[in-house]
Amino acid sequence: MEPLKKGELYTLDDIYHLPEGKRAELIDGQIYYMASPSRTHQRVLGSVFRKIADYIDGHGGDCEVDIAPFAVFLTSDDRNYVEPDISVICDFDKLDDRGCHGAPDWIIEIVSPSSKSMDYFIKLFKYRAAGVREYWVVDTERRLVTVYNFERNQMVEYSFKEGIPVGIYEGFSIKITE
């Protein structure tokens, strides 16, 4: 995901005027086009989403889980718009029909070959600065999940073979399966 070069900064209007079927994210005024996800990406995404949704439903959930494409407006300006693979939002006042306005509590990104620097660096710092509480980077090639718990200033790596504790839900862990 390389940014589209232009002498000026882009805004939400540019995102809304993309051709039909084109997906992109906007970070600090730079547009990053998104490649179509692989089958492995989609299987992992569906599996993790289902586990989270089942957990929330089964425990009288006080949060909502959304799956990409789902709009997240990280800041109040018109220069930041992302579509995380999975977003968990516990403050329903942030939600409307357009998406989430402000930081979700928990974001999960599944790494694609074209999105590694985006997920591990650019989004990491953007999510932390925006107030995301927990951020997971799921790397299907390395079979690792890097968990950033920003509230505890902690980063831990887990293999797909391990149950990964969810920081925002005590007693809930997820094992990544393909």
Side-chain angles (χ1 to χ4, degrees):
M1 270 199 314
E2 291 298 314
L4 179 68
K5 298 294 181 203
K6 179 178 164 183
E8 61 195 63
L9 296 177
Y10 291 92
T11 67
L12 286 172
D13 284 339
D14 295 302
I15 291 291
Y16 294 141
H17 289 96
L18 289 173
E20 181 94 16
K22 274 273 195 216
R23 286 185 49 219
E25 295 180 308
L26 180 68
I27 297 179
D28 296 329
Q30 293 296 309
I31 287 182
Y32 296 86
Y33 285 104
M34 301 167 71
S36 294
S38 69
R39 187 167 156 259
T40 298
H41 179 283
Q42 292 301 90
R43 282 195 337 263
V44 171
L45 175 60
S47 172
V48 173
F49 173 80
R50 191 172 54 252
K51 289 173 185 179
I52 296 168
D54 289 349
Y55 181 85
I56 290 172
D57 290 347
H59 290 82
D62 55 352
C63 299
E64 175 177 306
V65 60
D66 291 286
I67 194 168
F70 175 75
V72 174
F73 306 92
L74 285 171
T75 58
S76 59
D77 64 25
D78 67 347
R79 300 196 189 283
N80 289 281
Y81 166 93
V82 292
E83 292 182 1
D85 288 314
I86 296 174
S87 303
V88 177
I89 301 102
C90 301
D91 179 353
F92 294 117
D93 290 338
K94 292 180 179 181
L95 297 169
D96 67 16
D97 281 344
R98 291 181 58 208
C100 177
H101 300 269
D105 294 85
W106 178 20
I107 289 178
I108 299 172
E109 295 283 9
I110 299 165
V111 174
S112 299
S114 64
S115 73
K116 280 188 182 196
S117 66
M118 190 74 163
D119 295 332
Y120 279 110
F121 300 106
I122 296 169
K123 286 184 177 179
L124 168 69
F125 294 110
K126 196 69 187 173
Y127 291 161
R128 181 181 194 133
V132 172
R133 294 167 55 197
E134 185 169 354
Y135 174 45
W136 290 20
V137 180
V138 179
D139 191 326
T140 57
E141 279 183 6
R142 295 173 54 215
R143 300 183 58 77
L144 288 175
V145 179
T146 306
V147 174
Y148 299 92
N149 185 319
F150 297 132
E151 290 181 317
R152 294 186 186 133
N153 201 27
Q154 183 177 65
M155 186 273 294
V156 180
E157 282 190 338
Y158 297 91
S159 78
F160 277 19
K161 297 176 183 175
E162 299 176 82
I164 304 165
V166 175
I168 70 165
Y169 285 116
E170 193 169 319
F172 177 37
S173 66
I174 294 176
K175 194 172 194 178
I176 304 294
T177 55
E178 292 180 62

